Amino acid sequence: MSSLGVGVSPGNVAVYHGSNLKVIDRRVRLAELTLRCLICGLAVVSAVLIGTDTQVREFFTIKKRAKFTDMKALVFLVIANGIAAGYSLVQVLRCVLSMVKGTVLFNKPLAWAIFSGDQVMTYMTLSAVAAAIQSGLFAQFGQTELQWMKTCDLYPKFCNQVGEGVASSLLSCLSMVVLSAISAYGLFRLYGDNKEKSSGRW
C-alpha cells in the first residue's frame, strides 16, 4: 500500500481501495431489504383480502355466495401471492443475515440463483395480476357481445374487496420489478471491472 492510498496488485496494476463502493453496497442492501419486506407484506395482504372475500345474495328463496374460487384468475393470484410472500420471507432472512455478518461472500452461483428467482417471481405475479385485472373488468363492466352481465352490480362488497387485493398485488408486482433491477445489478457487477474492488462482497 502506497502513501497515496493506492494498492498495488500482484500484476503491478494500481487498484483504488476507496470507501464509496462500500457505501453504495450498504445502500443497495438496505433498499433490497426494504423492498423484500414490502413485497412480503403486500403479497400477504392481497392473499388475505382475496382469500377471505365472500358475499351472500338472496334471490327470492335461493342464496348465492360469491367467493374467490368462483374465478380461476383470483385463485391463481392468491397462489402466486402466497408463493411470492414465502420466497420474499426467505430472502428477507438472507438479507438480514448478510447485514448482521457484514462480510457475507456473494458469489456468482448465489447471485444467479437470486436473480433467476426474482425474475420468476416477477413474471409469475405480473401474469397473475394481469389475469385478475382482466377478469375484474369483465365483472365490473360486463361484455354485451357475449351476453356477460355485470356481476359487480350484484356483489358490490365482494368486488370492492377484490379490487383492494388486486391493487395491493399490483404494488407488490411493481416493487418486484424494481427489485429485479437491483438483483441484476448485484449479479452483473460481479462480471464488471469492480469485481476486484468489491472482493466479491455484497
Side-chain angles (χ1 to χ4, degrees):
M1 178 73 69
S2 69
S3 60
L4 297 177
V6 177
V8 179
S9 68
N12 295 325
V13 177
V15 179
Y16 176 66
H17 296 279
S19 60
N20 289 339
L21 190 60
K22 292 182 179 180
V23 173
I24 293 174
D25 282 349
R26 193 178 303 114
R27 291 177 180 174
V28 169
R29 282 188 291 180
L30 182 60
E32 179 187 2
L33 177 61
T34 303
L35 282 173
R36 291 195 187 280
C37 290
L38 180 64
I39 290 168
C40 185
L42 289 173
V44 169
V45 168
S46 177
V48 170
L49 282 174
I50 298 175
T52 60
D53 192 12
T54 182
Q55 184 178 0
V56 178
R57 283 293 302 268
E58 186 172 342
F59 302 93
F60 300 104
T61 59
I62 301 175
K63 290 185 178 181
K64 176 63 178 175
R65 179 185 299 272
K67 49 189 182 297
F68 82 99
T69 53
D70 295 332
M71 299 177 65
K72 301 306 179 187
L74 295 182
V75 174
F76 177 36
L77 183 59
V78 170
I79 294 173
N81 278 317
I83 295 173
Y87 172 80
S88 297
L89 181 60
V90 172
Q91 291 295 338
V92 164
L93 296 177
R94 178 192 61 79
C95 289
V96 171
L97 180 62
S98 174
M99 295 182 73
V100 168
K101 288 188 175 182
T103 56
V104 175
L105 185 65
F106 196 71
N107 53 37
K108 291 180 181 179
L110 178 59
W112 272 109
I114 295 172
F115 172 75
S116 301
D118 289 345
Q119 292 292 315
V120 170
M121 290 298 110
T122 301
Y123 284 114
M124 179 188 68
T125 307
L126 180 62
S127 61
V129 169
I133 290 176
Q134 183 182 36
S135 297
L137 290 175
F138 285 143
Q140 181 69 37
F141 301 106
Q143 186 71 30
T144 56
E145 293 82 2
L146 300 176
Q147 297 182 347
W148 291 349
M149 61 186 300
K150 301 177 182 179
T151 55
C152 283
D153 290 345
L154 301 175
Y155 302 98
K157 173 187 171 296
F158 175 80
C159 287
N160 289 337
Q161 188 165 327
V162 165
E164 293 171 359
V166 172
S168 177
S169 188
L170 179 60
L171 291 176
S172 175
C173 185
L174 294 176
S175 299
M176 287 182 186
V177 172
V178 178
L179 184 62
S180 295
I182 292 178
S183 61
Y185 165 77
L187 170 64
F188 295 115
R189 70 194 290 272
L190 297 178
Y191 293 89
D193 294 332
N194 290 330
K195 60 185 178 180
E196 289 88 359
K197 298 179 186 178
S198 61
S199 300
R201 298 184 189 278
W202 178 245

